[in-house]
Amino acid sequence: MILGFYGPSNSGKTETIVKLVKYFSEKNFKIATVKHIPGNFTIDSDGKDTWKMGNAGSNLVVASSDSETSFMFKGSMDIKKILQLINAFDNFDIIFIEGFKSVPWIKKIKFGNGEKMENTVMEFTNIETLIKYIEKEIEIDSIIRKLPNFNCGECGFSTCREMAEKIILNEKKFEDCRYYNPEVMMNIEVNGREIYLSPFVQNIVKNTI
């Protein structure tokens, strides 16, 4: 799942994210975090070898040591591209994003006063309520991953998410989706977009291989 956090400075965003990372990492969830910093900022140090390489014109500088590998892209990057790169590194269960509040498709938690942004799912009150929300979203996300995510509507619901919510409540079963195929599940992505494969097509690929 991807969840954003926004609000004024010193409203508790970072502190809350740190607590969430600790809580869910102790439950063996794999987590990635993204922090948007307004204005000009660099983790590189003036005069260091990596700085010299970037200053000479290298668009991407990688610093690798025994304990850490840092990728420094010289220039701004769209959040969609950032998420694509994160997913290229590994399969993360949760991605927390601090900032990027104006991006409409990111579900967000609002902190403090200020304008309520699009796709805000909750205004922060306490960590316990937020944890319950995230745990439910993770459960829904795990079910959606097993569904074709085609949003065909043939099950009677407009989206696979609505179907997943009914499955959690034991009001529906996976088998109520006519395209559900637990035996063969494969993904094809084109330019970062997942292409739906019906069970028939998946079985052709499986049997050919």
Side-chain angles (χ1 to χ4, degrees):
M1 71 165 297
I2 300 172
L3 188 62
F5 299 78
Y6 72 94
S9 298
N10 300 318
S11 58
K13 302 185 299 296
T14 302
E15 180 184 358
T16 300
I17 292 173
V18 170
K19 289 180 180 178
L20 292 173
V21 169
K22 186 175 187 301
Y23 177 86
F24 285 102
S25 62
E26 288 177 351
K27 292 183 175 293
N28 296 319
F29 286 98
K30 195 171 290 185
I31 303 167
T33 55
V34 179
K35 164 75 175 181
H36 179 245
I37 302 173
N40 293 320
F41 172 82
T42 177
I43 63 171
D44 212 355
S45 298
D46 194 344
K48 293 291 186 180
D49 290 344
T50 50
W51 178 89
K52 293 176 182 177
M53 293 172 186
N55 199 47
S58 179
N59 296 109
L60 177 64
V61 179
V62 180
S64 180
S65 70
D66 292 338
S67 59
E68 183 175 273
T69 300
S70 300
F71 291 79
M72 290 172 279
F73 181 80
K74 299 300 180 178
S76 62
M77 185 179 292
D78 181 80
I79 184 60
K80 285 187 176 181
K81 183 65 175 178
I82 292 173
L83 294 175
Q84 286 176 5
L85 291 173
I86 288 174
N87 288 320
F89 288 133
D90 208 337
N91 292 319
F92 291 93
D93 302 302
I94 308 171
I95 301 177
F96 292 131
I97 301 174
E98 183 176 341
F100 292 103
K101 65 180 182 180
S102 61
V103 179
W105 51 267
I106 298 176
K107 291 183 178 180
K108 308 175 190 70
I109 307 298
K110 180 180 182 293
F111 283 72
N113 299 322
E115 180 185 359
K116 187 174 183 179
M117 306 304 292
E118 186 175 353
N119 215 359
T120 296
V121 295
M122 181 188 301
E123 294 193 24
F124 180 79
T125 54
N126 59 76
I127 192 75
E128 291 79 14
T129 301
L130 182 53
I131 286 174
K132 288 181 181 178
Y133 168 78
I134 295 172
E135 288 176 333
K136 182 181 178 181
E137 287 298 304
I138 291 172
E139 189 176 2
I140 292 173
D141 189 56
S142 68
I143 292 176
I144 291 176
R145 289 173 185 267
K146 297 175 183 177
L147 294 171
N149 208 19
F150 191 45
N151 298 327
C152 63
E154 294 188 33
C155 61
F157 302 102
S158 58
T159 65
C160 288
R161 179 187 170 85
E162 292 178 26
M163 178 70 162
E165 291 174 344
K166 294 298 182 181
I167 291 174
I168 287 178
L169 297 173
N170 294 318
E171 296 178 5
K172 287 289 182 179
K173 298 182 293 186
F174 283 103
E175 290 74 18
D176 292 324
C177 171
R178 64 172 295 184
Y179 297 110
Y180 174 63
N181 183 9
E183 295 182 2
V184 182
M185 290 302 292
M186 61 186 69
N187 297 323
I188 292 180
E189 287 191 4
V190 177
N191 293 330
R193 179 182 178 186
E194 185 173 330
I195 305 301
Y196 171 70
L197 300 178
S198 69
F200 175 75
V201 175
Q202 292 189 47
N203 281 316
I204 288 178
V205 177
K206 172 193 171 187
N207 294 331
T208 300
I209 294 175

